Amino acid sequence: MEAIETLLSTASTKFTESVEMHARMGLDPKYSDQQLRATVSLPNGTGKTMRVAVLTQGDNVALATENGADYAGADDLVDKIAGGFLEFDKLIA
C-alpha cells in the first residue's frame, strides 16, 4: 500500500501513467507444476471504452443504438466496412 501511495504522490505527468511490477516468486519455470500464469482484473477496468458495431435490420437498428451500440445498420454498414471503415472494437451480427 505504501508503494501505491508513493506513486500517486509523486505523479507529475499530464497523461495517465502506468506501473509495471516484477516479483521474485522463487519458482523454477523448467517444471510445469511451478509455472505461474495469471491475469488481474483491475477494479476500474483498463480505462479503454469499447466501440461496438451491430449488424441488424429493421427496428433492431434503433434498438441497438438505444442500448449503447456505437454503429448499427445492415447492408449500409457492411458496405461501409468493406470500404475500409474499422472504427470499432467488436462487431455483433
Side-chain angles (χ1 to χ4, degrees), residues 64-88:
T65 54
E66 288 172 10
N67 286 299
D70 297 299
Y71 308 101
D75 293 333
D76 57 329
L77 185 56
V78 171
D79 293 338
K80 193 174 180 180
I81 293 170
F85 175 75
L86 296 173
E87 297 295 321
F88 53 88

Side-chain angles (χ1 to χ4, degrees), residues 48-84:
K48 182 179 179 186
T49 58
M50 191 70 69
R51 297 171 297 177
V52 178
V54 179
L55 291 174
T56 186
Q57 297 176 348
D59 296 335
N60 291 331
V61 173
L63 187 62
T65 54
E66 288 172 10
N67 286 299
D70 297 299
Y71 308 101
D75 293 333
D76 57 329
L77 185 56
V78 171
D79 293 338
K80 193 174 180 180
I81 293 170

Side-chain angles (χ1 to χ4, degrees), residues 36-42 46:
L36 178 67
R37 291 187 178 98
T39 59
V40 176
S41 296
L42 300 173
T46 60

Side-chain angles (χ1 to χ4, degrees), residues 2-15:
E2 183 181 336
I4 294 173
E5 291 172 0
T6 303
L7 285 169
L8 293 174
S9 67
T10 59
S12 62
T13 59
K14 294 182 181 180
F15 57 88

Side-chain angles (χ1 to χ4, degrees), residues 19-29 34-38 40:
V19 175
E20 187 173 318
M21 183 184 101
H22 297 265
R24 186 173 300 269
M25 305 287 289
L27 301 174
D28 190 354
Q34 293 187 20
Q35 292 181 355
L36 178 67
R37 291 187 178 98
V40 176

